[in-house]
Amino acid sequence: MDKNALRKNWAKDCLPAVFALLLSGLYSIVDGLFIGRAVGDAGLAAVNIAWPLPAFVTAVGVGSGMGGSILYSNCRGMGEGEKSSKIYGQTVTLLIVEGLFITGVLYCLYPQMLRILGASGDVGVKAGDYSEVIILGAVFQTVGTGIIPILRNRGRALGAVAGMSAGMLVNLVLNYILIFRFGLGVRGAALGTVAAQLVTALTGFFLIFGKGEEPLKLTLDRKTAVHILRTGASAFGLSLAPSLILVFTNQRCLQYGGGAAVACYAVISYITFPVQYILTGIGDGSQPLMSYYCGGDRMEELAYIRSTGERFAAAAGLLLALLVYAVKPVIPDVFGLSRRSAAYFDTGMTVSSTAFFVMGPVKFHIAYMNSVLRIKDASRLIYGETLIAMPVLLFILPEIWGINGVWAAFPAGQLVMLLIFNICFTRRKSRLNTAVVRCGR
């Protein structure tokens, strides 16, 4: 085993993936900066309340794109070129079909869903304006987000960065023009996001098909589609989890601090979401190699990539926590928070950022289990956090500490997940490391 070559291959995949997902996280920061400056607390609260709807659209694209990509690399590792090519075409087709289906369903249901999420009054109107545009452009978002893992698993990690960079630039320019020059407010921010994902999708298609690498066959059979969806179930949950947790947290913020606390939490989310994307990117960037070595039954190389990624994720979490703490004093003014909202921010951001110390390893463990097709184990961690641990913590901790208990639930949830992994999964360390349970087979 050539460790130097392994490290170079890992860095070639991982670092561009981290940067690409950082750009994805910056979408929300850009929207927040422009909306906070142009619309104020009402706009920030509206987008924060409506966020689970666009997050669901994005998660569908991420889940299907990652599910198909894991299977693609696994089949390549086993030397099954024809099967991997079929999975690739099916994944692209599935992304298009899902986007069209989501548009039809959510367009009929989004007014009722926003009311359930707590949108009312002026905030409700702005949330509806934002959601309508996002939903109408859902197909661009599913394909745009789903094409990124496909590019990485086809050895085009830098191409994924190029696609995300092009989308980010479009989002930045259009947000400025549509929000400030044309006065479209939150609707302008949504148009910028949709246009950015369209550019990302077109860039991805050009990089794959414009080079004449492989003809695209848009076919879809039920068995392969189900396999892709099952494999991507944990990636879907990992992408959607922060937004589902956001719903629970918004409700507790309203209860313990009113609209000002919700606006404060919106800005905290604009900071924590990109950090989560970065830490997720370390696992996602390691996934192509881990899936490939798993499929080829090359367990020594797999174990080395895993240990390298784990160490890097832990170090990145520590550095990001320190960075956020350093810039924390200037954030409220940058986002245009009112004095009332800013009063909550210092404590809220300080407590929330402590989650980053343990979040890196948690995200990487999930990516590793996905890569070796331990989908059920990864899903237990993700959905256990989202549907059990965080709701329970958000119910209990605010009853003890008020609004500070709301902030404390986030790091407490990450710590619970790390403990659960160490207790429930490292007991099976010999199984996971020795033949990796034959990579889920």
Side-chain angles (χ1 to χ4, degrees):
M1 181 175 66
D2 187 342
K3 291 185 177 181
N4 287 331
L6 279 175
R7 281 195 297 269
K8 288 179 181 179
N9 288 335
W10 173 81
K12 185 177 68 175
D13 283 346
C14 186
L15 297 182
V18 171
F19 186 69
L21 282 176
L22 169 62
L23 292 175
S24 181
L26 289 177
Y27 275 67
S28 61
I29 289 184
V30 168
D31 286 352
L33 286 171
F34 284 112
I35 291 170
R37 291 283 182 176
V39 188
D41 282 4
L44 289 170
V47 174
N48 203 44
I49 288 174
W51 189 256
L53 298 184
F56 173 78
V57 176
T58 299
V60 170
V62 170
S64 296
M66 184 61 74
S69 297
I70 290 170
L71 295 175
Y72 172 83
S73 288
N74 196 260
C75 289
R76 281 184 59 242
M78 291 187 286
E80 298 180 359
E82 184 177 347
K83 186 176 179 180
S84 67
S85 179
K86 178 182 177 182
I87 290 172
Y88 160 67
Q90 297 262 340
T91 302
V92 175
T93 308
L94 184 60
L95 290 167
I96 296 171
V97 171
E98 286 173 333
L100 295 173
F101 179 75
I102 289 171
T103 296
V105 173
L106 288 187
Y107 192 78
C108 297
L109 297 178
Y110 82 89
Q112 295 88 341
M113 297 177 73
L114 289 176
R115 285 195 290 271
I116 293 172
L117 292 171
S120 61
D122 183 42
V123 170
V125 173
K126 289 180 170 59
D129 290 342
Y130 183 83
S131 300
E132 182 180 31
V133 175
I134 292 292
I135 290 167
L136 289 175
V139 67
F140 303 133
Q141 293 186 82
T142 55
V143 176
T145 53
I147 202 74
I148 297 301
I150 292 175
L151 283 168
R152 285 199 302 266
N153 281 265
R154 292 184 65 87
R156 292 192 171 274
L158 291 178
V161 173
M164 293 299 303
S165 300
M168 182 65 189
L169 180 61
V170 168
N171 190 41
L172 183 66
V173 172
L174 285 183
N175 270 357
Y176 174 76
I177 294 173
L178 297 175
I179 294 175
F180 285 105
R181 295 299 183 184
F182 287 90
L184 294 182
V186 295
R187 191 179 288 271
L191 285 168
T193 297
V194 170
Q197 293 293 353
L198 173 60
V199 169
T200 299
L202 292 176
T203 303
F205 278 119
F206 172 76
L207 289 173
I208 295 173
F209 309 121
K211 304 294 184 178
E213 282 186 2
E214 184 176 332
L216 176 64
K217 298 179 181 179
L218 294 177
T219 60
L220 193 64
D221 67 73
R222 190 181 70 85
K223 184 177 179 181
T224 305
V226 169
H227 199 187
I228 291 170
L229 292 174
R230 284 179 178 171
T231 305
S234 56
F236 167 82
L238 186 62
S239 177
L240 188 60
S243 299
L244 292 179
I245 292 169
L246 181 145
V247 173
F248 300 133
T249 309
N250 276 337
Q251 293 172 350
R252 298 304 260 174
C253 284
L254 281 170
Q255 183 176 354
Y256 285 92
V262 175
C264 169
Y265 180 59
V267 175
I268 291 174
S269 298
Y270 288 137
I271 304 302
T272 58
F273 275 26
V275 171
Q276 292 185 72
Y277 281 124
I278 292 170
L279 296 177
T280 299
I282 296 170
D284 286 358
S286 305
Q287 173 268 312
L289 279 178
M290 290 193 294
S291 294
Y292 181 79
Y293 290 135
C294 174
D297 205 21
R298 297 166 65 178
M299 297 305 143
E300 189 178 5
E301 289 91 340
L302 174 60
Y304 184 77
I305 294 297
R306 177 188 177 182
S307 64
T308 302
E310 283 179 336
R311 291 194 297 269
F312 186 68
L318 173 61
L319 290 174
L320 288 167
L322 295 174
L323 176 62
V324 169
Y325 188 81
V327 302
K328 174 172 57 85
V330 304
I331 294 174
D333 289 338
V334 170
F335 281 89
L337 276 178
S338 68
R339 284 187 178 181
R340 189 179 173 198
S341 297
Y344 290 114
F345 183 80
D346 184 74
T347 301
M349 191 72 257
T350 299
V351 174
S352 297
S353 63
T354 61
F356 306 154
F357 290 112
V358 295
M359 186 185 294
V362 169
K363 300 295 185 187
F364 189 85
H365 292 152
I366 292 170
Y368 171 74
M369 289 187 287
N370 280 333
S371 299
V372 299
L373 300 181
R374 301 296 301 171
I375 308 302
K376 289 183 179 179
D377 286 342
S379 296
R380 288 188 186 104
L381 277 178
I382 295 165
Y383 293 105
E385 175 192 5
T386 307
L387 302 179
I388 300 175
M390 283 303 297
V392 169
L393 290 168
L394 282 167
F395 177 78
I396 294 174
L397 297 184
E399 296 292 330
I400 302 172
W401 295 313
I403 190 65
N404 290 333
V406 177
W407 314 136
F410 180 45
Q414 294 302 304
L415 182 59
V416 167
M417 289 302 103
L418 185 62
L419 292 173
I420 289 174
F421 177 85
N422 287 329
I423 293 170
C424 297
F425 295 103
T426 55
R427 286 181 178 178
R428 290 154 41 189
K429 188 174 182 181
S430 60
R431 293 180 63 206
L432 287 172
N433 288 337
T434 307
V436 201
V437 199
R438 276 295 176 261
C439 298
R441 293 192 287 275

